[in-house]
């Protein structure tokens, strides 16, 4: 595959993300290996080794009405090679099979060099709604004529961001001549937020320019708020699988590719299928966003809005065959992630996650995240096109049912393995098997 990087890569690292037999280790053994592989300091490793890494006092400062904290599994997806660099990917998620599926497809992707990624500049939009105007187009023209003044005022509110090379770059004005509330003009501030997610920055700028906007248009400003449809802040990933790579003892690789293309086409043409298809993509993306302390609701909102940009909800990924008959997939979507501000700095495990990822910019984090989404997508399509989604998923879900039935220690694996062998993964069966084992 021909690289299409948007900016220079970081220097290659010696880290190897493959970690053979990682799944077979105990949690403490896995942590030891991650600490060595990712060169974690003892304090970071200690945070991961025990529950309660988020102090109650810190949680109380993050949100309102805190009474405790809530934990989710923190896992590592292995095997990822992205832009020639091996990456260990922290994922926080409760659903079985997600981490395993992403790791497996990343392993297969290594045969063709892994994932290639690119991204655009970190541009966010802040919307300033203007009402009470007789002519929306006249308001637009007036705002465009005073663009330089508006940008200068917006940038005066964040000298630090401007000093880092960011700041307000441009304005757009969208007009709605007829609405149930009368003519409306909506000015967008286009802001380079650098390594921040950017919500607070662009909201502050939008509020600061509102009096000037009212003076220019003669109207009244209502909403002053960012848009989560971050369609100027895109991340992309691409991957290639040869037929040989996708061949299994039960299925020829060429047949697997045809099945994946049929499944993708279903999502491309049918919004009911596309909703589930894209949910599978977000199964990979959201856990990385959560692990790094970023706003997964914002990313979800942007993703699904972007999937509708043609006027019809469709797939966020594209799959096709190249001239050699190999499967080639790509993804492009908004990705408003940050390395500074919010929980990325206040949550101790978010800081550890970023340490494991070893990313230097928000753009690099965004590119890794969409690569995981692409891996998750092809894992689901491959399963659907072959043995069905439930075989692998339910085998892993069996552990949850064993735990819910009261299994402890090695009982969990024994009960789960027995249900998987029987292909009878049910809560009552887990309870029956546990009783039988204990009776013996």
């Amino acid at each position: 595959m021909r690289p299409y990087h948007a900016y220079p890569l970081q220097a290659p690292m010696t880290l190897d993300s493959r970690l053979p037999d990682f799944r077979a280790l105990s949690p403490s053994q896995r942590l030891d290996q991650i600490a060595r592989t990712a060169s974690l300091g003892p304090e970071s490793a200690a945070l991961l080794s025990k529950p309660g890494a988020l102090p109650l006092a810190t949680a109380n400062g993050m949100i309102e009405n805190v009474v405790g904290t809530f934990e989710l599994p923190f896992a590592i997806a292995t095997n990822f090679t992205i832009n020639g660099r091996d990456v260990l990917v922290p994922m926080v998620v409760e659903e079985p099979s997600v981490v395993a599926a992403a790791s497996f497809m990343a392993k297969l992707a290594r045969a063709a060099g892994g994932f290639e990624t690119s991204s655009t500049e970190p541009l966010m939009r802040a919307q300033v709604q203007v009402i009470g105007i007789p002519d929306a187009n006249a308001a637009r023209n007036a705002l465009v004529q005073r663009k330089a003044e508006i940008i200068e005022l917006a940038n005066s509110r964040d000298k630090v961001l401007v000093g880092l090379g960011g700041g307000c770059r441009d304005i757009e004005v969208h007009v709605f001549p007829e609405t149930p509330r009368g003519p409306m003009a909506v000015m967008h501030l286009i802001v380079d937020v650098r390594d921040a997610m950017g919500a607070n920055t662009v909201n502050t700028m939008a509020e600061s320019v509102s009096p000037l906007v009212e003076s220019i248009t003669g109207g009244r400003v209502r909403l002053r708020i960012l848009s989560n449809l971050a369609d100027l802040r895109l991340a992309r990933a691409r991957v290639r699988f040869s037929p040989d790579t996708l061949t299994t003892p039960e299925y020829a690789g060429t047949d697997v590719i045809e099945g994946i293309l049929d499944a993708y086409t279903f999502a491309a043409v049918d919004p009911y299928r596309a909703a589930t298809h894209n949910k599978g993509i977000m199964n990979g993306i959201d856990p990385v966003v959560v692990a790094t302390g970023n706003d997964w609701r914002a990313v979800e909102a942007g993703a699904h809005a972007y999937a509708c940009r043609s006027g019809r909800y469709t797939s966020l990924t594209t799959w096709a065959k190249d001239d050699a008959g190999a499967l080639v997939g790509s993804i492009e979507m908004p990705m408003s992630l940050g390395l500074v501000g919010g929980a990325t700095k206040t949550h101790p495990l978010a800081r550890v996650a970023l340490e494991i990822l070893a990313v230097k910019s928000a753009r690099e984090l965004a590119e890794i995240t969409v690569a995981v989404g692409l891996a998750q997508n092809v894992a689901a399509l491959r399963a659907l096109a072959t043995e069905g989604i439930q075989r692998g998923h339910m085998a892993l879900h069996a552990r949850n049912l064993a735990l819910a039935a009261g299994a402890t220690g090695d009982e969990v694996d024994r009960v789960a393995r027995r249900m998987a062998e029987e292909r009878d993964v049910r809560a009552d069966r887990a309870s029956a098997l546990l009783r039988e084992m204990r009776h013996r």
Side-chain angles (χ1 to χ4, degrees):
M1 290 183 290
R2 182 174 57 85
Y4 62 120
H5 310 308
Y7 62 95
L9 293 175
Q10 302 296 328
M13 297 178 64
T14 57
L15 181 150
D16 187 341
S17 67
R18 285 174 289 187
L19 306 187
D21 300 319
F22 189 65
R23 181 180 172 187
L25 301 177
S26 69
S28 62
Q29 290 171 326
R30 293 187 197 118
L31 177 56
D32 288 342
Q33 186 167 0
I34 291 298
R36 291 192 305 271
T37 305
S39 301
L40 292 184
E43 292 183 359
S44 296
L47 283 172
L48 286 168
S49 68
K50 56 187 179 183
L54 177 63
L56 193 60
T58 302
N60 191 48
M62 293 171 69
I63 63 168
E64 310 77 39
N65 298 348
V66 169
V67 297
T69 59
F70 183 92
E71 291 191 306
L72 288 170
F74 186 114
I76 302 292
T78 59
N79 300 315
F80 275 89
T81 297
I82 299 173
N83 293 343
R85 178 170 84 88
D86 272 24
V87 182
L88 296 172
V89 184
M91 301 179 74
V92 171
V93 65
E94 85 297 341
E95 184 173 341
S97 79
V98 167
V99 179
S103 299
F104 179 69
M105 295 314 299
K107 181 179 180 179
L108 296 187
R110 296 177 76 94
F115 297 84
E116 296 173 353
T117 65
S118 68
S119 58
T120 62
E121 294 292 329
L123 299 176
M124 296 292 288
R125 296 177 183 268
Q127 296 183 288
V128 180
Q129 177 196 26
V130 188
I131 61 171
I133 48 177
D135 186 338
N137 285 299
R140 178 191 181 279
N141 292 337
L143 289 167
V144 170
Q145 289 173 6
R146 304 277 292 274
K147 177 174 77 170
E149 186 180 349
I150 294 168
I151 292 174
E152 181 181 5
L153 177 58
N155 283 332
S156 71
R157 306 304 299 174
D158 199 329
K159 297 293 188 182
V160 173
L161 179 63
V162 173
L164 292 171
C168 186
R169 296 279 185 257
D170 200 356
I171 69 167
E172 294 178 359
V173 184
H174 299 227
V175 296
F176 303 91
E178 296 181 9
T179 81
R181 302 289 290 176
M184 186 183 301
V186 182
M187 185 186 74
H188 291 198
L189 296 176
I190 310 300
V191 184
D192 183 335
V193 297
R194 299 284 84 191
D195 284 328
M197 183 272 181
N200 291 332
T201 296
V202 300
N203 288 345
T204 299
M205 287 186 175
E207 292 180 358
S208 70
V209 302
S210 292
L212 176 58
V213 169
E214 289 183 334
S215 173
I216 292 170
T217 62
R220 182 178 179 185
V221 168
R222 283 288 196 198
L223 271 63
R224 299 146 293 170
I225 185 70
L226 91 159
S227 170
N228 286 127
L229 177 50
D231 58 354
L232 299 176
R233 191 178 188 177
L234 302 175
R236 310 179 186 97
R238 183 175 181 268
V239 70
R240 181 180 185 273
F241 298 96
S242 69
D244 288 346
T245 301
L246 295 175
T247 296
T248 72
E250 296 85 13
Y251 300 94
T254 52
D255 292 338
V256 173
I257 289 174
E258 294 301 323
I260 288 173
L261 293 176
D262 287 338
Y264 156 68
T265 303
F266 185 7
V269 302
D270 180 10
Y272 291 94
R273 171 60 200 146
T276 310
H277 175 95
N278 289 341
K279 187 269 183 184
I281 294 170
M282 303 312 290
N283 274 350
I285 288 173
D286 286 345
V288 184
V289 178
V290 173
T292 56
N294 275 283
D295 187 347
W296 60 267
R297 285 90 50 205
V299 173
E300 282 274 351
H304 296 296
Y306 195 68
C308 297
R309 65 191 183 281
S310 67
R312 180 178 58 83
Y313 189 86
T314 188
S315 169
L316 286 165
T317 55
T318 301
W319 294 94
K321 279 193 299 187
D322 65 13
D323 292 341
L327 179 71
V328 178
S330 63
I331 185 171
E332 177 187 83
M333 60 178 284
M335 192 56 60
S336 52
L337 302 181
L339 301 185
V340 297
T344 58
K345 286 296 185 184
T346 57
H347 198 300
L349 289 186
R351 296 198 300 271
V352 174
L354 292 172
E355 184 180 353
I356 293 170
L357 284 161
V359 290
K360 305 300 183 184
S361 69
R363 288 178 63 180
E364 190 178 3
L365 174 60
E367 293 180 16
I368 291 170
T369 304
V370 293
V372 178
L374 186 59
Q376 198 71 42
N377 181 227
V378 70
L381 294 178
R382 175 182 172 275
L384 287 166
T386 54
E387 73 267 15
I389 201 73
Q390 288 297 80
R391 180 177 173 183
H393 177 76
M394 292 305 288
L396 292 169
H397 181 55
R399 291 177 55 84
N400 277 346
L401 295 180
L403 285 166
T408 60
D410 66 350
E411 291 176 336
V412 177
D413 284 332
R414 290 163 60 197
V415 171
R417 185 167 55 250
R418 180 78 174 274
M419 284 194 292
E421 290 170 352
E422 296 174 351
R423 297 194 179 185
D424 188 9
V425 183
R426 295 177 290 115
D428 58 341
R429 183 57 181 153
S431 297
L433 286 171
L434 183 60
R435 287 194 301 270
E436 177 186 322
M437 288 178 183
R438 289 178 173 176
H439 178 71
R440 289 177 180 173

